[in-house]
Amino acid sequence: MAGSGLLAIAGCTDSNAFGESAPTASAAAAPTVTGVSVAIGSLTGGTAVSLTGSGLADVVVVTVGGAAATSLTVDEAGAVSFLTPAAVDHQPATAAIALAFADGTSLDAGTPFSYQAVTAVDRQLQYAFTYWQDYNLAEWSRFSDNDCGNFVNQTLLARGWQQNSDWYSDYATTGDYSLSWIRGNEMDDYLNSRDDTTRLDLSQRASVKVGDVVMFDWDPENDNGVDHTMLVSRVDVNPDGTNAIKLVGHTLDAQYRDFDGAITVENPGGTAHFYSIA
């Protein structure tokens, strides 16, 4: 009888004796984005966006159109804030916003970001990346020996500059143009004369930004002045804090020509200066 009693007591302590399941923890709610502060922004990037929702505290990366956003922060309330990267080739597009979490999972924000030409620099870079290789011959023709100034000046018109008696081209129709449109030294003098430009030397390259103009001198020892011009298409920050400058332009047609490579590997001993445009 004692044995039977022990068995009965043991049976009563079994949590599954009457078909009952042991209690389990509730499944965590899936992360959700419920709000996007800004859905439209600049082609050149840098638009501040904030995402709100639930379960977003562990977001470690945000991408827009597949490119990583910058300045990512997650506040105490779980709101995710970041700056958009530039649009692909500086062209209008609808780009998905995706979030990556510390555990390796990902989430589509559900509301895409619309890249549009909203600034003067947007319009300048959109034009540059449209015609860097497929020349706009109908409007501007092409200077066969060196088209670099012709192209950069076209982008400045797209930015909103107006032609005048000192700076113009009617080459495609009448063959007329100012020397400041196609020749390096004359273009350099014209840019330097404007109130909305600031000349920067190499020691001031940290102030260079997308949409600025670079003027190259491949052989400064010859004292013959400017040999080539291009437009700044991207500025990246290196791990050591310096900047890497990329260029778009004609003659040597390029979207992201490396500035430092141009004055070292490609043209050893070369130098350059910039025009920062307000």
Side-chain angles (χ1 to χ4, degrees):
M1 291 296 293
S4 299
L6 288 173
L7 287 173
I9 293 172
C12 289
T13 61
D14 185 349
S15 61
N16 294 319
F18 299 99
E20 298 174 352
S21 300
T24 58
S26 299
T32 304
V33 174
T34 56
V36 180
S37 64
V38 178
I40 297 172
S42 171
L43 299 177
T44 54
T47 301
V49 179
S50 182
L51 307 178
T52 53
S54 60
L56 306 181
D58 293 329
V59 170
V60 291
V61 175
V62 172
T63 59
V64 184
T70 60
S71 302
L72 175 65
T73 61
V74 181
D75 67 20
E76 292 181 356
V80 179
S81 299
F82 57 90
L83 299 179
T84 59
V88 175
D89 290 342
H90 297 284
Q91 300 302 305
T94 299
I97 302 174
L99 294 76
F101 295 84
D103 64 1
T105 60
S106 61
L107 171 70
D108 188 312
T111 301
F113 185 82
S114 177
Y115 281 107
Q116 299 181 18
V118 296
T119 71
V121 179
D122 286 340
R123 293 187 289 274
Q124 181 188 22
L125 271 292
Q126 182 183 0
Y127 183 94
F129 275 75
T130 299
Y131 295 110
W132 72 275
Q133 190 173 40
D134 183 15
Y135 287 26
N136 189 358
L137 299 177
E139 286 191 83
W140 301 105
S141 191
R142 175 179 184 170
F143 290 86
S144 58
D145 56 339
N146 196 326
D147 199 63
C148 62
N150 183 33
F151 175 72
V152 168
N153 286 320
Q154 290 170 44
T155 76
L156 293 171
L157 289 180
R159 184 176 177 131
W161 288 21
Q162 300 294 319
Q163 295 186 77
N164 56 52
S165 59
D166 295 322
W167 179 74
Y168 67 91
S169 176
D170 201 23
Y171 186 62
T173 53
T174 68
D176 191 24
Y177 54 86
S178 65
L179 293 180
S180 61
W181 193 269
I182 66 157
R183 289 180 55 174
N185 291 333
E186 285 81 355
M187 181 177 172
D188 190 44
D189 289 340
Y190 176 71
L191 293 178
N192 201 33
S193 73
R194 291 182 60 104
D195 294 335
D196 55 357
T197 63
T198 302
R199 191 184 190 280
L200 305 175
D201 61 31
L202 278 178
S203 68
Q204 298 170 295
R205 63 182 289 168
S207 298
V208 171
K209 60 191 184 303
V210 169
D212 287 348
V213 175
V214 58
M215 309 295 281
F216 288 104
D217 184 355
W218 300 138
D219 50 356
E221 68 281 359
N222 290 338
D223 197 29
N224 60 351
V226 175
D227 296 301
H228 187 52
T229 182
M230 297 187 78
L231 188 74
V232 176
S233 58
R234 193 173 74 210
V235 179
D236 299 325
V237 179
N238 295 318
D240 63 0
T242 60
N243 63 358
I245 299 169
K246 308 298 181 181
L247 308 167
V248 59
H250 278 185
T251 306
L252 192 162
D253 299 345
Q255 290 174 292
Y256 297 108
R257 186 182 186 184
D258 183 65
F259 169 78
D260 290 292
I263 58 174
T264 55
V265 178
E266 298 174 28
N267 297 276
T271 187
H273 58 274
F274 307 90
Y275 283 99
S276 177
I277 305 174

